[in-house]
């Protein structure tokens, strides 16, 4: 059966190490979209953090969609109409803030418009994330955040070694209550339990009337596993983790070697 929808991770997959898209990849995506195939970015970033990539790829029309916040928010890239949304409660924020303090790691959260942290010594990784996703960053007390902000995503952020040790200490019940994924060595993301790239891809496919067997997903990291598992054709980048390669149906070249183009050439536009 032919592929009608391709979901593509951003960092480490679509983007090279300079946070750019190689021109051969741009060309093949535009060709697929012209042929009527849906191409959907699937990322931990908010919509504001993908504007440059959407513009380059021409994925900003009335019939274009994006999966953001690792599946917590699925929306139209032109109208911002929401297809699916799975936010967190204020009680969730206070619980995770307390856990982060017990683990001695930094935490920031994001709603649809901005990022917030209650850490006076703001983590450089939080500043980096604010820059990458083009969102303003504010310091607020935990009480102010709980009162004023409805989080879409929360992120524990710290040096990889610190975060790895903290991850081991998270009680099992938190993994039952939330979706917790390591998107980079220095980001540990905490989401609504109904949020994942895989669930979001399922919701979007159903919205568009596309069968699971007609979906391809391409990724490289732990937070891509659920969409690779869901897709009829799951693709791991050559630079992907071993867990992603094991879960995927096929492995292609790295993000530096136009692995996304290889996937399109082999299975999308033949």
């Amino acid at each position: 059966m032919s592929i009608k929808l391709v979901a593509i991770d951003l960092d480490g997959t679509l983007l090279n190490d300079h946070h750019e898209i190689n021109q051969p990849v741009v060309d093949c995506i535009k060709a697929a979209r012209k042929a009527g195939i849906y191409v959907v970015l699937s990322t931990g970033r908010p919509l504001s953090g993908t504007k440059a990539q959407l513009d380059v790829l021409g994925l900003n029309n009335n019939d274009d969609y994006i999966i953001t916040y690792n599946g917590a928010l699925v929306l139209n890239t032109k109208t911002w109409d929401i297809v699916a949304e799975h936010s967190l409660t204020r009680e969730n924020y206070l619980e995770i803030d307390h856990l982060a303090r017990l683990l001695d790691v930094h935490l920031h959260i994001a709603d649809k418009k901005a990022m917030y942290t209650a850490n006076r010594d703001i983590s450089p990784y939080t500043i980096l994330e604010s820059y990458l996703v083009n969102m303003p960053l504010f310091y607020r007390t935990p009480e102010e955040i709980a009162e004023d902000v409805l989080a879409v995503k929360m992120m524990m952020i710290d040096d990889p070694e610190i975060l790895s040790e903290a991850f081991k200490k998270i009680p099992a019940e938190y993994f039952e209550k939330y979706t917790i994924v390591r998107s980079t060595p220095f980001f540990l993301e905490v989401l609504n339990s109904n949020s994942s790239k895989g669930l979001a891809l399922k919701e979007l496919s159903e919205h568009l009337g596309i069968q699971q067997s007609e979906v391809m997903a391409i990724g490289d990291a732990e937070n891509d596993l659920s969409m690779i598992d869901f897709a009829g054709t799951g693709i791991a980048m050559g630079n992907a983790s071993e867990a992603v390669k094991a879960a995927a149906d096929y492995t292609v070249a790295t993000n530096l070697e136009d692995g996304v183009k290889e996937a399109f050439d082999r299975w999308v536009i033949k």
Side-chain angles (χ1 to χ4, degrees), residues 11 43-47 67-73 85-89 92-93 96 107-117 129-130 133 135 145 149-157 178-181 183-184 187-192 195 197 223:
D11 297 286
T43 176
R45 298 186 185 195
L47 181 59
I67 295 169
T68 64
Y69 290 119
N70 276 320
L73 188 62
E85 181 177 7
H86 304 286
S87 297
L88 293 151
T89 68
N92 292 154
Y93 162 68
I96 297 302
L107 178 77
H108 68 243
I109 76 169
D111 62 13
K112 296 173 187 175
K113 297 180 179 179
M115 292 170 49
Y116 306 85
T117 180
E129 176 75 352
S130 173
V133 303
M135 291 186 84
I145 291 175
V149 180
L150 188 61
V152 179
K153 180 174 74 170
M154 298 181 282
M155 299 176 69
M156 295 184 190
I157 65 274
Y178 301 96
T179 294
I180 301 177
V181 292
S183 55
T184 74
F187 289 156
L188 184 63
E189 309 201 13
V190 183
L191 304 152
N192 182 299
S195 297
K197 289 187 177 183
N223 60 327

Side-chain angles (χ1 to χ4, degrees), residues 57-219:
L57 297 170
L59 300 178
N60 45 16
N61 299 296
N62 285 327
D63 55 349
D64 286 315
Y65 298 87
I66 188 168
I67 295 169
T68 64
Y69 290 119
N70 276 320
L73 188 62
V74 184
L75 66 168
N76 182 285
T77 62
K78 179 73 171 182
T79 65
W80 287 45
D81 289 343
I82 295 172
V83 174
E85 181 177 7
H86 304 286
S87 297
L88 293 151
T89 68
R90 293 172 175 83
E91 291 74 21
N92 292 154
Y93 162 68
L94 289 172
E95 182 176 52
I96 297 302
D97 179 74
H98 178 68
L99 176 63
R101 292 175 190 277
L102 289 177
L103 297 174
D104 197 24
V105 296
H106 291 81
L107 178 77
H108 68 243
I109 76 169
D111 62 13
K112 296 173 187 175
K113 297 180 179 179
M115 292 170 49
Y116 306 85
T117 180
N119 300 123
R120 289 185 181 275
D121 57 334
I122 298 175
S123 167
Y125 295 114
T126 292
I127 296 170
L128 172 63
E129 176 75 352
S130 173
Y131 169 75
L132 286 177
V133 303
N134 193 30
M135 291 186 84
L137 172 65
F138 301 100
Y139 166 78
R140 297 287 188 270
T141 66
E143 294 75 21
E144 288 172 329
I145 291 175
E147 178 68 25
D148 299 331
V149 180
L150 188 61
V152 179
K153 180 174 74 170
M154 298 181 282
M155 299 176 69
M156 295 184 190
I157 65 274
D158 239 304
D159 291 335
E161 299 79 9
I162 295 173
L163 208 55
S164 293
E165 289 304 311
F167 182 77
K168 297 174 186 176
K169 298 175 183 177
I170 298 175
E173 58 264 27
Y174 284 85
F175 292 91
E176 298 172 0
K177 189 172 182 179
Y178 301 96
T179 294
I180 301 177
V181 292
R182 190 93 174 259
S183 55
T184 74
F186 40 83
F187 289 156
L188 184 63
E189 309 201 13
V190 183
L191 304 152
N192 182 299
S193 61
N194 291 319
S195 297
S196 73
K197 289 187 177 183
L199 287 171
L201 186 53
K202 180 177 184 292
E203 290 170 319
L204 179 58
S205 299
E206 291 174 349
H207 175 77
L208 296 173
I210 294 173
Q211 298 180 36
Q212 186 174 359
S213 59
E214 298 171 321
V215 175
M216 173 185 283
I218 312 173

